[in-house]
Amino acid sequence: MVDDDTWSGALHRLWQAASRAEEVAALADDVYAPLLATPGVHLVVGTRWDEDATLRYMRALGADGDAPVIIATARSMPGAAVREPDGEPVVTRGSVDELDDAAWPEAEFLRQSPGASVVACTFRLDRSGWAGLSVAVDASADTEGVARRLAQAVDVIVACHTGILQRGREARRGADDALLAEASLQMDSSLDVEDTLRRVARIAVPAVADGCLVHLLRKDGPEFVAATHVAVQQQRALEEAGRDDPWLAALLAQRDDGDQALFLSGAALDGSPFAGPGPAGGGRHPTVVSVSTLHARGRVVGSITFVYQRPEDRLPDSAFLDSLATRAALAIDNALLYELRRHAVLSLQEHLLPSKLPAVVGWDLSASYEVGDPMLDVGGDFYDAVPRPDGSVSLLIGDVCGRGAEAAALTGLARHTLRTLLEEGTDPGTALSRLNRALRQEEASRFLTAVVVTMAPQADGTVRLTTCSAGHPRPLVLRADGSIGEVVSGGLLLGILDDVSYDSHEDSLAPGDTLVLFTDGLTESREADGTYFESVLPGRLAALRGSDAAHVAESLARQARTFRASGQDDIALLVARWNGITPSDGLLPLETLLEQAALR
């Protein structure tokens, strides 16, 4: 027997248990025991219902029972709808014998106390369901007191369930925030469009949904770009739907910048690839689809479609999806803008360099250019090969200080000025002096380095090198025997002083020798331990003995790129391999041919 003081203590313990419980069912013992100890109470039965009057759970325990009877089911009982509470808990009293089995599944237990009365309380737990707590009492029971205790127990149960939901929402909100933060980091870590789109799809599955489709908005409509699903077979079907399904294409085409996440389920999916068997079919939970518009900087860039096969309480809310869509849209838009800029910069860079090197008999010419700046500003490296009127060939390579539009303008000025002068037969030293004068007249705020090497074949099959340098790294020569030589050169940077002259230095090439010109992006590539590529360059070049010019240029550029852990300067290389020609080729200048004739 439980008096009011004892009941108060039991109620207090029930509140304490409720504050710790992770699910309402854990309170059963703390609810049933004190109710059964109430005078006149013989049996307690609890039920749990879905919104559509489907019985999910029933638990019955008698006063003389050792263990409760627990039934988990999914029994549809339309007649029970009359008992469903609209708002506040509803307490009813009546005879056990008068209970309608169509509305009272508890009746089979309550009738075990013949002639007893029932005191019952139905109450809502949340929007998706309700519950009932019923007791069988005899004539000795204070039904008003029992009803009061029943209502007090229900108050604790409802408060417990509300607290569990609140803690679940807080935990979910924390998990959502963590997921959004991680999504931002993952998506922002790449500026490659395709990689970013794949990251968007991968991040969402399975954390957000079971499947994900990403489309970009093009001029002629949505374009499928990425898809992922927790099941590989369903991913293939999802990809096919993303590419070709007219229902999905029409749905995505209707979305605009102001739309929030749209949820579709049931009849709304009729005619779609997600209705019944298909990309999202086969699960025990109804399929739900959401579509979020990806809009950034005032324009729509695409859409992201999520496919769910999970309980309703595990579906994300619109606010979360909108936030995820905003982050994805910005990441995709940044990648698209970066891609546009990259193409524009590379196109401009190509116009600042020769479209191709001239074909000159006896020479194997090649070049390589590596863009080093991840921000893709236009670099200042340039090179060219210029056939001269006397039959010689001039190689030129240079580097404007800095990057960007001003560097690009000076690059164009320097290359075209030197090329024009050298084509006219101007000697390299004079060409550099006139370029320096032009830079000073233009009041250029940047300086540049350059080196010009004129290569003139001789009657004995060698080549005379005439080199003029304006502060540029010295060219190297890979001899036919594998030894490495350095072309002596030196001079003041261009654009510093008004009147500067440049001295020439001479060297020679033999057949099979290779001349290598480069910018400092090659030599200043640096490993993590601080080692510069300049220190290993001679050995790397020697290892390329016997290679053609293209292989030498591409190999050195690739090795420097792989070598460096730091350094973002562009790398330009211009390589000339002398294969040798004979007078019978008829390609030497006239004065050389006359000289050969005089020596015979």
Side-chain angles (χ1 to χ4, degrees):
M1 180 176 182
V2 177
D3 56 25
D4 288 342
D5 290 339
T6 305
W7 170 256
S8 296
L11 194 62
H12 177 70
R13 289 190 295 274
L14 180 59
W15 277 110
Q16 289 180 320
S19 66
R20 299 187 300 268
E22 296 183 0
E23 56 180 16
V24 173
L27 298 180
D29 291 340
D30 294 295
V31 171
Y32 282 42
L35 285 175
L36 287 170
T38 301
V41 175
H42 297 279
L43 183 73
V44 180
V45 185
T47 53
R48 178 73 168 89
W49 302 80
D50 283 348
E51 186 72 22
D52 57 356
T54 298
L55 178 65
R56 289 293 180 183
Y57 171 89
M58 185 161 58
R59 186 182 196 273
L61 181 64
D64 55 354
D66 295 329
V69 176
I70 299 175
I71 299 174
T73 182
R75 191 196 313 174
S76 177
M77 300 186 65
V82 298
R83 298 176 58 199
E84 182 177 339
D86 291 332
E88 295 298 319
V90 177
V91 177
T92 58
R93 305 174 185 83
S95 171
V96 169
D97 296 332
E98 295 175 355
L99 296 179
D100 180 2
D101 288 352
W104 289 80
E106 306 99 316
E108 62 178 298
F109 296 104
L110 294 172
R111 291 196 183 105
Q112 294 175 11
S113 302
S117 297
V118 59
V119 180
C121 181
T122 55
F123 53 96
R124 296 207 68 83
L125 287 174
D126 50 50
R127 290 181 298 177
S128 63
W130 53 284
L133 192 59
S134 306
V135 296
V137 299
D138 60 26
S140 67
D142 176 6
T143 56
E144 289 299 326
V146 171
R148 184 168 58 253
R149 292 185 178 185
L150 203 59
Q152 290 172 339
V154 165
D155 286 342
V156 179
I157 294 172
V158 171
C160 175
H161 186 71
T162 301
I164 291 171
L165 292 180
Q166 179 63 30
R167 290 192 294 274
R169 283 191 292 268
E170 291 175 354
R172 178 100 176 244
R173 187 157 48 245
D176 287 349
D177 290 344
L179 177 61
L180 289 173
E182 178 64 20
S184 294
L185 288 174
Q186 289 291 327
M187 292 185 292
D188 293 343
S189 64
S190 174
L191 286 174
D192 178 84
V193 175
E194 293 186 1
D195 185 51
T196 299
L197 293 169
R198 286 193 294 268
R199 287 169 183 259
V200 171
R202 287 198 300 266
I203 288 168
V205 176
V208 177
D210 299 278
C212 176
L213 285 160
V214 182
H215 288 78
L216 285 180
L217 182 63
R218 301 299 191 187
K219 291 182 179 179
D220 54 352
E223 175 190 345
F224 167 76
V225 289
T228 189
H229 198 283
V230 291
V232 175
Q233 291 183 342
Q234 294 192 35
Q235 177 168 332
R236 296 193 186 101
L238 200 62
E239 290 173 351
E240 293 177 3
R243 290 189 183 95
D244 305 320
D245 186 75
W247 182 93
L248 182 59
L251 175 66
L252 299 181
Q254 297 171 4
R255 307 292 292 161
D256 59 42
D257 185 51
D259 288 335
Q260 294 181 324
L262 171 68
F263 284 87
L264 300 170
S265 61
L269 295 177
D270 290 346
S272 77
F274 313 109
R284 62 187 181 87
H285 294 289
T287 298
V288 179
V289 173
S290 71
V291 182
S292 298
T293 302
L294 302 176
H295 48 87
R297 300 179 177 95
R299 64 189 184 92
V300 176
V301 299
S303 63
I304 183 167
T305 303
F306 291 128
V307 181
Y308 312 91
Q309 278 187 284
R310 55 186 61 187
E312 183 179 349
D313 60 359
R314 290 183 56 203
L315 297 180
D317 57 31
S318 295
F320 171 81
L321 291 179
D322 291 341
S323 182
L324 181 61
T326 297
R327 295 164 191 250
L330 287 173
I332 293 171
D333 195 46
N334 286 339
L336 289 171
L337 293 175
Y338 180 85
E339 185 72 11
L340 289 174
R341 182 181 180 187
R342 187 175 71 88
H343 284 304
V345 167
L346 293 179
S347 177
L348 178 56
Q349 196 83 63
E350 289 176 359
H351 284 81
L352 293 174
L353 300 172
S355 57
K356 62 179 180 178
L357 297 176
V360 183
V361 174
W363 289 104
D364 177 16
L365 302 178
S366 188
S368 178
Y369 195 103
E370 290 282 342
V371 176
D373 183 8
M375 295 306 295
L376 284 178
D377 280 328
V378 182
D381 291 13
F382 63 91
Y383 61 82
D384 209 341
V386 183
R388 290 164 57 84
D390 62 359
S392 63
V393 178
S394 287
L395 302 184
L396 63 98
I397 193 167
D399 185 2
V400 177
C401 174
R403 311 184 68 85
E406 186 178 0
L410 291 181
T411 297
L413 171 65
R415 185 173 81 86
H416 290 293
T417 298
L418 289 176
R419 179 180 181 85
T420 300
L421 293 171
L422 294 170
E423 281 180 332
E424 294 175 349
T426 306
D427 67 88
T430 302
L432 287 175
S433 296
R434 290 179 62 177
L435 173 58
N436 181 74
R437 190 181 311 128
L439 293 173
R440 297 297 294 170
Q441 289 173 351
E442 292 292 329
E443 298 182 348
S445 61
R446 299 170 186 253
F447 63 84
L448 62 93
T449 67
V451 64
V452 179
V453 181
T454 297
M455 308 180 300
Q458 302 300 297
D460 61 359
T462 63
V463 173
R464 184 177 69 245
L465 300 182
T466 303
T467 304
C468 288
S469 177
H472 199 81
R474 293 181 175 183
L476 295 179
V477 176
L478 171 59
R479 302 294 179 183
D481 62 3
S483 61
I484 303 297
E486 187 177 67
V487 177
V488 177
S489 59
L492 188 66
L493 282 67
L494 295 162
I496 301 297
L497 300 177
D498 289 333
D499 297 317
V500 181
S501 61
Y502 294 91
D503 296 329
S504 298
H505 302 270
E506 292 192 356
D507 207 324
S508 65
L509 293 182
D513 290 350
T514 301
L515 176 66
V516 181
L517 286 70
F518 47 86
T519 56
D520 60 8
L522 179 76
T523 54
E524 293 180 1
S525 294
R526 186 167 54 181
E527 274 192 321
D529 64 1
T531 302
Y532 285 95
F533 193 72
E534 181 179 22
S535 64
V536 300
L537 177 57
R540 300 289 182 93
L541 180 56
L544 296 172
R545 174 189 177 188
S547 300
D548 59 24
H551 182 68
V552 172
E554 294 298 332
S555 178
L556 289 179
R558 182 177 62 254
Q559 290 183 55
R561 184 177 64 249
T562 305
F563 181 88
R564 69 181 174 193
S566 63
Q568 299 175 345
D569 201 1
D570 291 2
I571 297 173
L573 287 123
L574 183 57
V575 179
R577 176 183 169 87
W578 172 240
N579 295 320
I581 62 173
T582 64
S584 61
D585 293 321
L587 296 171
L588 293 177
L590 178 60
E591 56 268 29
T592 302
L593 294 175
L594 293 174
E595 180 182 348
Q596 290 179 0
L599 294 174
R600 289 175 184 172

